[in-house]
């Protein structure tokens, strides 16, 4: 990354206004910020102008008071599922600093385009109190770390990023860095959703729940594999959640559904995290998001580790429910990123099919081009007589959906769902 010049290299040092600044004012502002986003969701959102003014005052001066012990690591920008550059950060704190109390940590992000106006985002994370079975121990001696992540999107350009964490004990942690976002030649022809020097929250357009009532409607079950996009990662980050929610919403908008059953699961923990037999989108995405945010990947029970194929058995159970349903779906779509483990599916242990429905399909999202990893989800779909698809973009997903519709409902013209892929609205400035 080239060093930034002009505005950023000539920015004034903090503390230039110390004559009108005092530790008392700083601590008062920190107390205000500590309660500012108490009702906000975990996702980063634009703060109000009044909150932005207070945050700017804090970020423009040297920190005063107790430090929150944590480590902030940046995430390099990458092109996401909607052709936006998504970037962000992770924050890792020793769990012992919260002493087993129910706590909250507010996060504020100021992103300044070179030569442009800063954009201030914020979000909050809540930590539950230590469980009752730990009451006899000392939470201050815990060696475990806890991690949060945040994300936002930008267009091409140069930016300064500043992150401020404030907990409910008024302790703070800060870090800043610079990023240079350039579109590579491999994706130069992709449609740009955000214009250059633009900052926006990392949000998605939820499916509105509109169902198809005509004869060509499809009864659909979606099995959502809640896993990191990078198969080498074990933790689910904010950008992973965004990709999963975005691809799910895109799938449901493009499919002419008569009904939707949604099951979200996690292989590492060998469990379902969400089930809704009549998913209608809209606000119901909030419950799914909460379940995904609460998922603590990397915390795997001893029993799961002992059963190396436990998650395969879980998938068999889920598939069996769909095969044995009194009113089976027309299609079961397994949707998710490439899995990092591959265990060969033993066909002899699969449920016996008694009817042609449902038909199984696997939509595998990959941010890598070339030869894909072997994938157990694809093996499962093929073992049940289905097909597997790999997609890298919304356009490829749309093409795969058309192939599925042709197989399910040959009478549906291929252009029937073309208008169901709405363009994303430009972010508010």
């Amino acid at each position: 990354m080239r060093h930034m010049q002009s505005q950023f290299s000539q920015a004034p040092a903090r503390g230039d206004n110390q004559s009108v600044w005092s530790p008392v004012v700083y601590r008062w502002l920190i107390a205000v910020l500590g309660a500012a986003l108490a009702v906000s969701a975990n996702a980063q959102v634009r703060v109000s102008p009044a909150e932005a003014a207070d945050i700017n005052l804090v970020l423009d001066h040297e920190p005063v008071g107790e430090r929150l012990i944590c480590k902030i690591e940046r995430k390099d920008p990458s092109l996401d599922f909607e052709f936006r550059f998504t970037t962000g950060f992770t924050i890792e704190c020793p769990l012992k600093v919260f002493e087993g109390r129910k706590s909250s940590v507010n996060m504020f992000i100021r992103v300044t385009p070179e030569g442009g106006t800063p954009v201030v985002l914020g979000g909050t994370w809540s930590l539950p109190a230590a469980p009752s079975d730990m009451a006899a121990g000392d939470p201050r001696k815990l060696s475990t770390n806890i991690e949060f992540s945040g994300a936002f999107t930008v267009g091409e350009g140069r930016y300064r990023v500043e992150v401020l964490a404030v907990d409910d004990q008024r302790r703070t942690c800060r870090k800043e860095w610079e990023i240079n976002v350039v579109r590579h030649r491999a994706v130069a022809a992709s449609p740009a959703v955000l214009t250059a020097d633009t900052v926006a929250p990392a949000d998605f357009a939820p499916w509105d729940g509109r169902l198809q009532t005509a004869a060509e409607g499809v009864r659909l079950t979606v099995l959502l594999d809640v896993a990191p996009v990078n198969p080498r990662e074990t933790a689910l980050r904010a950008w992973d959640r965004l990709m999963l929610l975005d691809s799910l919403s895109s799938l449901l908008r493009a499919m002419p559904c008569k009904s939707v059953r949604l099951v979200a699961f996690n292989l590492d923990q060998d469990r379902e995290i969400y089930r809704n037999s009549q998913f209608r989108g809209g606000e119901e995405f909030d419950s799914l998001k909460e379940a995904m945010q609460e998922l603590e990947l990397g915390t795997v029970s001893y029993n799961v580790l002992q059963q190396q194929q436990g998650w395969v058995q879980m998938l068999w159970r889920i598939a069996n429910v769909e095969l044995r349903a009194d009113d089976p779906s027309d299609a079961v779509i397994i949707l998710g990123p490439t899995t990092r483990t591959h265990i060969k599916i033993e066909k002899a242990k699969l449920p016996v099919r008694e009817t042609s429905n449902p038909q199984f399909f696997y939509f595998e999202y990959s941010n890598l081009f070339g030869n894909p990893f072997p994938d157990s989800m694809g093996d499962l779909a093929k073992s049940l007589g289905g097909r597997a698809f790999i997609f890298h973009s919304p356009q490829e997903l749309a093409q795969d959906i058309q192939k599925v519709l042709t197989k399910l409902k040959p009478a549906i013209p291929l252009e029937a769902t073309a208008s169901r892929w709405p363009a994303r609205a430009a972010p508010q400035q």
Side-chain angles (χ1 to χ4, degrees):
M1 182 181 73
R2 297 190 301 272
H3 180 69
M4 293 188 180
Q5 302 296 328
S6 67
Q7 173 192 341
F8 293 157
S9 60
Q10 300 172 11
R14 292 193 185 98
D16 289 355
N17 297 323
Q18 290 296 328
S19 59
V20 296
W21 186 258
S22 72
V24 173
V25 174
Y26 187 96
R27 294 189 183 99
W28 175 76
L29 283 171
I30 291 299
V32 171
L33 297 182
L37 294 174
V39 297
S40 293
N42 288 18
Q44 279 63 60
V45 297
R46 288 180 182 269
V47 302
S48 70
E51 291 168 345
D54 291 338
I55 294 165
N56 287 330
L57 281 174
V58 172
L59 288 173
D60 286 340
H61 293 79
E62 293 293 341
V64 177
E66 188 176 357
R67 180 177 179 271
L68 176 64
I69 300 173
C70 66
K71 179 173 66 175
I72 302 176
E73 297 289 345
R74 57 180 284 178
K75 176 194 180 296
D76 291 332
S78 60
L79 205 63
D80 72 3
F81 184 73
E82 289 285 353
F83 299 113
R84 302 167 300 178
F85 286 97
T86 298
T87 184
F89 54 90
T90 59
I91 302 175
E92 185 178 6
C93 301
L95 195 54
K96 62 184 179 183
V97 302
F98 302 105
E99 300 180 341
R101 302 185 308 269
K102 181 180 179 180
S103 306
S104 63
V105 178
N106 285 348
M107 198 62 50
F108 303 96
I109 307 100
R110 182 168 69 178
V111 187
T112 307
E114 186 176 29
T117 302
V119 174
V120 181
L121 308 172
T124 189
W125 290 264
S126 298
L127 285 72
S132 57
D133 56 5
M134 288 181 56
D138 186 352
R140 293 171 296 182
K141 296 182 179 180
L142 291 171
S143 59
T144 306
N145 291 341
I146 190 166
E147 190 173 274
F148 314 101
S149 63
F152 54 93
T153 59
V154 293
E156 291 186 88
R158 298 181 176 185
Y159 304 83
R160 171 182 287 136
V161 180
E162 299 164 273
V163 173
L164 168 67
V166 183
D167 78 344
D168 50 12
Q169 301 297 308
R170 304 181 186 179
R171 298 174 293 186
T172 63
C173 178
R174 302 164 57 157
K175 185 173 181 176
E176 67 177 72
W177 60 91
E178 298 171 357
I179 57 175
N180 184 18
V181 180
V182 179
R183 182 181 291 260
H184 299 292
R185 286 184 297 177
V187 295
S190 302
V193 174
L194 295 180
T195 58
D197 303 320
T198 301
V199 182
D203 59 359
F204 74 105
W207 174 58
D208 60 8
R210 185 177 302 173
L211 296 175
Q212 179 73 32
T213 57
E216 63 265 22
V218 174
R219 293 169 298 178
L220 179 67
T221 293
V222 180
L223 306 182
L224 183 64
D225 178 15
V226 181
V229 171
N230 185 342
R232 296 183 177 91
E233 295 286 343
T234 59
L236 193 73
R237 316 292 191 188
W239 40 93
D240 297 317
R241 297 194 296 267
L242 175 64
M243 186 285 299
L244 291 166
L245 293 167
D246 226 345
S247 57
L248 172 63
S249 186
S250 297
L251 169 67
L252 296 177
R253 286 199 301 267
M255 288 286 288
C257 302
K258 283 199 297 190
S259 64
V260 177
R261 179 159 53 241
L262 175 63
V263 180
F265 59 91
N266 173 248
L267 296 182
D268 285 338
Q269 294 198 359
D270 186 19
R271 67 182 180 94
E272 291 182 15
I273 67 167
Y274 180 85
R275 177 180 283 269
N276 189 329
S277 60
Q278 294 181 335
F279 188 71
R280 294 300 300 267
E283 295 181 354
E284 292 188 358
F285 272 100
D286 293 338
S287 298
L288 175 60
K289 286 192 294 184
E290 290 175 5
M292 294 168 63
Q293 290 163 352
E294 293 172 0
L295 188 63
E296 297 178 3
L297 293 182
T299 305
V300 184
S301 72
Y302 178 77
N303 289 336
V304 172
L305 292 176
Q306 287 289 92
Q307 300 176 5
Q308 294 185 358
Q309 291 199 19
W311 59 266
V312 177
Q313 297 170 6
M314 178 192 66
L315 287 178
W316 288 341
R317 292 193 300 269
I318 294 176
N320 195 50
V321 169
E322 299 303 322
L323 290 169
R324 299 288 183 267
D326 293 334
D327 185 22
S329 297
D330 298 312
V332 174
I333 293 180
I334 306 171
L335 173 66
T338 303
T339 58
R340 68 173 179 271
T341 56
H342 179 247
I343 299 177
K344 187 174 179 59
I345 302 296
E346 298 181 36
K347 294 184 178 181
K349 295 184 179 180
L350 291 172
V352 178
R353 298 191 64 114
E354 297 179 353
T355 62
S356 59
N357 281 343
Q359 298 186 53
F360 281 77
F361 304 93
Y362 176 40
F363 286 180
E364 173 189 348
Y365 173 76
S366 175
N367 60 356
L368 301 174
F369 291 86
N371 295 327
F373 290 94
D375 196 284
S376 295
M377 298 294 184
D379 288 351
L380 176 64
K382 293 175 183 177
S383 298
L384 292 169
R387 291 187 60 184
F389 303 92
I390 298 177
F391 67 97
H392 306 85
S393 68
Q395 283 83 348
E396 291 183 0
L397 176 58
Q399 294 168 4
D400 294 339
I401 290 172
Q402 294 292 354
K403 296 174 184 176
V404 169
L405 290 175
T406 300
K407 184 174 178 60
L408 292 174
K409 302 284 185 179
I412 298 181
L414 292 182
E415 66 273 12
T417 61
S419 63
R420 303 175 72 88
W421 197 277
R424 178 182 293 273
Q428 296 181 354
Q429 301 294 327

